[in-house]
Amino acid sequence: DAGITQSPRHKVTETGTPVTLRCHQTENHRYMYWYRQDPGHGLRLIHYSYGVKDTDKGEVSDGYSVSRSKTEDFLLTLESATSSQTSVYFCAISEWHRDGYTFGSGTRLTVV
Amino acid sequence: AQKVTQAQTEISVVEKEDVTLDCVYETRDTTYYLFWYKQPPSGELVFLIRRNSFDEQNEISGRYSWNFQKSTSSFNFTITASQVVDSAVYFCALNTGTASKLTFGTGTRLQVTL
């Protein structure tokens, strides 16, 4: 059983529309993260959470917002999708921020 | 600020060759943690190892070994007798004692052919 799941796995959306990606965990881990992966850039942190309703920005947070109303769910919202947000998005969890992360399977988002 | 540099973008080797993936990091913190992750063609990210800044002992796990040298700020990863299944993108990452997040390098794509 996967301790972390992302939905949807694939999405195509139009420029200017809002999009929400969901990350769900069953491990009761405190920390949750959203990264994006782009060629030549590796993985870059968008936002992270260190508890329910406790979130902070990463290095590429512009155009994104997050919410965590329950321990198990961490939502990433693209307020008005742009083509530059076409990417693969990974969610990750960890019990302690210095631990190795467990990553979800990723969401491939295409903005046309 | 923290930074991870993986200067090798792509490496191609023939099966059974040994290969070393380089990782150089930058941080001003004295307490930090270094990681390696593997991303096979299927796309998932797999945790391989964590090493803290107080432990410079090299680690060996089967065909994998890691060489941590604080003097050169490097945490290199060697695969001995490479196999086709080792073909993947490998990421090095850094977490400092004061940060709550991993900083990743840009990754090294390893291609192992028969």
Side-chain angles (χ1 to χ4, degrees):
Chain A
D1 290 338
I4 175 172
T5 55
Q6 292 183 231
S7 60
R9 292 295 311 277
H10 302 272
K11 186 171 182 66
V12 179
T13 192
E14 293 187 350
T15 298
T17 60
V19 177
T20 295
L21 308 182
R22 180 181 184 238
C23 178
H24 178 78
Q25 62 149 326
T26 58
E27 304 296 325
N28 201 36
H29 283 345
R30 178 183 178 190
Y31 291 87
M32 299 186 76
Y33 307 84
W34 277 107
Y35 283 83
R36 60 178 288 175
Q37 183 178 16
D38 304 289
H41 291 278
L43 287 98
R44 293 179 293 174
L45 182 66
I46 305 170
H47 282 280
Y48 66 100
S49 170
Y50 45 96
V52 174
K53 298 185 179 177
D54 291 324
T55 65
D56 205 351
K57 296 179 179 180
E59 62 180 305
V60 290
S61 59
D62 287 348
Y64 302 94
S65 62
V66 290
S67 66
R68 191 170 179 199
S69 59
K70 298 184 289 185
T71 298
E72 57 265 36
D73 290 325
F74 192 33
L75 304 180
L76 176 70
T77 297
L78 287 66
E79 294 140 9
S80 177
T82 67
S83 58
S84 64
Q85 293 176 312
T86 292
S87 186
V88 179
Y89 291 85
F90 284 97
C91 177
I93 60 174
S94 67
E95 175 57 24
W96 192 44
H97 67 271
R98 297 169 188 173
D99 292 338
Y101 293 1
T102 299
F103 282 86
S105 300
T107 295
R108 184 173 295 277
L109 176 68
T110 303
V111 183
V112 297
Chain B
Q2 53 192 50
K3 184 179 178 181
V4 176
T5 300
Q6 294 180 258
Q8 303 153 308
T9 305
E10 290 193 36
I11 301 175
S12 291
V13 299
V14 176
E15 201 176 41
K16 294 187 177 61
E17 286 186 11
D18 299 346
V19 58
T20 295
L21 309 181
D22 297 332
C23 173
V24 174
Y25 62 92
E26 295 176 31
T27 179
R28 293 180 179 178
D29 289 327
T30 56
T31 300
Y32 52 88
Y33 302 82
L34 294 161
F35 301 80
W36 277 95
Y37 286 83
K38 175 182 180 180
Q39 186 177 42
S42 53
E44 75 270 25
L45 285 150
V46 178
F47 167 74
L48 295 178
I49 189 172
R50 182 186 88 152
R51 173 67 66 201
N52 72 56
S53 55
F54 299 109
D55 184 1
E56 283 194 77
Q57 284 190 345
N58 291 332
E59 176 107 4
I60 298 174
S61 176
R63 295 183 298 107
Y64 294 173
S65 63
W66 290 270
N67 180 264
F68 175 32
Q69 290 194 335
K70 290 176 74 171
S71 60
T72 55
S73 297
S74 64
F75 186 44
N76 296 337
F77 174 28
T78 297
I79 302 174
T80 302
S82 60
Q83 299 177 0
V84 172
V85 294
D86 295 326
S87 296
V89 179
Y90 291 87
F91 291 97
C92 181
L94 168 69
N95 190 337
T96 69
T98 55
S100 298
K101 48 195 182 288
L102 280 181
T103 297
F104 285 82
T106 52
T108 298
R109 180 178 300 277
L110 174 65
Q111 184 71 41
V112 182
T113 56
L114 294 172

